[in-house]
Amino acid sequence: MSGETTRVARLQKFKSWDALFSGLTRSAAIAVLVLLGGVVVSLIVGSRLAFQTFGLSFLTREVWNPVTDQYGALAPIYGTLVTSLIAMVIAVPVGLGIAIFLTELCPYRLRRPIGIAIELLAGIPSIIYGIWGLFVFAPFLQQYVQPALITVFGPIPVLNMVFAGPPYGIGIFTAGIILGVMVLPFVSSISRDVFETVPPVLKEAAYGIGCTTREVVTNVVIPHSRTAIVGGVMLGLGRALGETMAVTFVIGNAHKISASILSPGTTISASIANEFTEAVGDIYTSSLIALGLILFVITFIVLAIARLLLMRINNRASA
C-alpha cells in the first residue's frame, strides 16, 4: 500500500511540474504576442496624425521639408529597398561560395580558422562598420572604383544612368556594399552549418557514379539544403532592411531619389536615427513614427514571403 501511495505521490509531483512548465512556456509565448501587439499599436497611434494629414500620398511623396511641415516616405523606402537589394546581390553568392569552399574544398585544418574569421564579422559593432566605411572605404571608392564604373558604363544605355557621376564616395552604392559585408556572415554561417548536415552517403554515392565536385554541390548539397538556405538569406535580408548606424554614416542622408546608385540617399532607419531627436512638432514626430511603421510592414512582408517560399519548398520535397 505504501509503495502504491509513493507512486501516486510521484505521479502527482510530475504532473504538477508539467503543469508549471506548460504554464511558463505558454506565458512566454503570450508575452511575445503582447509585446508585438504593443509595438504595432504604438506605431499605429503615433503615425495616425501623419496619415490623417497626408493620407496614403505619404507613401508616394518624395518631399521631406521640416520647415514647411511637408513629408513623404518615398525616398527612404526607395533607399531601404535598393541598399538591401545591393547587399543581397553581394552577400548571397559570396556567402554560398564561402560555405561551399569550407565544407567541400577547404583543407580540414583551415576550416575552423577561416570559419571563425567569417563569424567574427558578425560580432563587429555596426558603428565600427560605419566609421570604417566613411573614413576608409568611401574615399577608396571615390578615388578608384566609382570613376572606373562611370567610365565603363558611360557608353551603355540605361547603365549609364545607374552609374552616373559625379563620384561622391558616399551614397546608396557604398551603403549597399557595407550592408553586404555585414550580412555576409549570416548567409555563410547558416549555409555552412546546413551543408555539413547533408548525409555523407548521398555525396559518396554521387562521387561513386563519377560526379564532379561541382555536380555534387549543385545536384546534392544545395537541393538537400535549400530550405535552410532560403531561411538564412531571409535572415540576412531582415538585418539589411533594419540596419541603422553603418548606413547612416555612408549613405549621405539626402531625401531624394536618383536613378544613379552612386548618388547620396537615405533609408528609413537612417532618417529616424538622424532626425528623431531634433523633431519639433507633432506632424514631424508622427511622420518619423510612420516611417517606423512602414519599415515594420516591409519586414513583416519579407518574413511572410519567406514563410510561403519555405512552405512551397517543403511541399515540393514531400510530393
Side-chain angles (χ1 to χ4, degrees):
M1 183 66 67
S2 60
E4 183 68 21
T5 303
T6 303
R7 181 173 178 274
V8 171
R10 287 182 178 179
L11 290 176
Q12 288 293 338
K13 184 179 179 180
F14 291 154
K15 185 177 180 180
S16 300
W17 280 109
D18 287 344
L20 177 61
F21 179 76
S22 178
L24 289 175
T25 53
R26 185 182 296 107
S27 300
I30 294 174
V32 171
L33 294 178
V34 170
L35 289 174
L36 181 61
V39 170
V40 173
V41 170
S42 62
L43 289 175
I44 293 175
V45 172
S47 62
R48 183 174 56 185
L49 179 59
F51 284 107
Q52 286 179 346
T53 304
F54 305 113
L56 292 179
S57 63
F58 180 77
L59 303 174
T60 59
R61 290 158 54 96
E62 183 181 349
V63 62
W64 189 272
N65 193 338
V67 177
T68 59
D69 268 341
Q70 296 296 317
Y71 305 100
L74 186 59
I77 293 174
Y78 171 81
T80 299
L81 296 178
V82 173
T83 53
S84 299
L85 177 62
I86 295 173
M88 300 315 295
V89 168
I90 295 172
V92 172
V94 175
L96 291 178
I98 292 173
I100 293 170
F101 174 75
L102 290 177
T103 55
E104 303 296 331
L105 301 172
C106 182
Y108 185 78
R109 62 177 138 183
L110 295 179
R111 291 183 182 182
R112 186 174 181 82
I114 296 176
I116 292 175
I118 297 299
E119 292 174 355
L120 284 176
L121 291 175
I124 299 176
S126 59
I127 193 170
I128 303 301
Y129 279 108
I131 294 174
W132 171 74
L134 180 63
F135 292 106
V136 178
F137 193 59
F140 173 78
L141 290 179
Q142 182 183 26
Q143 186 173 359
Y144 299 105
V145 178
Q146 293 184 356
L149 292 175
I150 294 171
T151 302
V152 170
F153 294 108
I156 304 176
V158 180
L159 290 179
N160 60 0
M161 298 176 60
V162 176
F163 295 96
Y168 293 100
I170 59 175
I172 290 178
F173 181 67
T174 306
I177 296 177
I178 297 295
L179 283 178
V181 175
M182 298 178 69
V183 167
L184 179 62
F186 295 92
V187 178
S188 63
S189 296
I190 294 176
S191 300
R192 183 195 63 184
D193 293 340
V194 174
F195 290 165
E196 290 178 345
T197 64
V198 177
V201 65
L202 296 180
K203 294 189 288 186
E204 291 170 0
Y207 284 122
I209 62 175
C211 291
T212 63
T213 301
R214 180 189 63 80
E215 291 172 332
V216 170
V217 170
T218 56
N219 297 322
V220 177
V221 176
I222 292 180
H224 187 275
S225 312
R226 56 179 178 262
T227 301
I229 292 175
V230 172
V233 170
M234 290 303 173
L235 177 63
L237 180 57
R239 171 70 187 273
L241 288 170
E243 178 54 42
T244 303
M245 293 308 302
V247 174
T248 303
F249 272 83
V250 299
I251 199 169
N253 302 304
H255 282 272
K256 65 177 183 179
I257 296 176
S258 174
S260 174
I261 62 175
L262 304 183
S263 300
T266 188
T267 64
I268 294 175
S269 56
S271 298
I272 296 173
N274 274 324
E275 304 184 33
F276 204 88
T277 56
E278 302 175 358
V280 178
D282 294 336
I283 296 180
Y284 195 179
T285 304
S286 180
S287 298
L288 291 173
I289 296 176
L291 289 180
L293 177 62
I294 294 170
L295 181 59
F296 181 88
V297 172
I298 292 174
T299 306
F300 178 81
I301 292 173
V302 168
L303 294 177
I305 293 174
R307 295 299 302 175
L308 290 175
L309 288 175
L310 293 176
M311 289 175 59
R312 285 191 176 184
I313 292 174
N314 290 330
N315 290 336
R316 289 179 182 177
S318 60

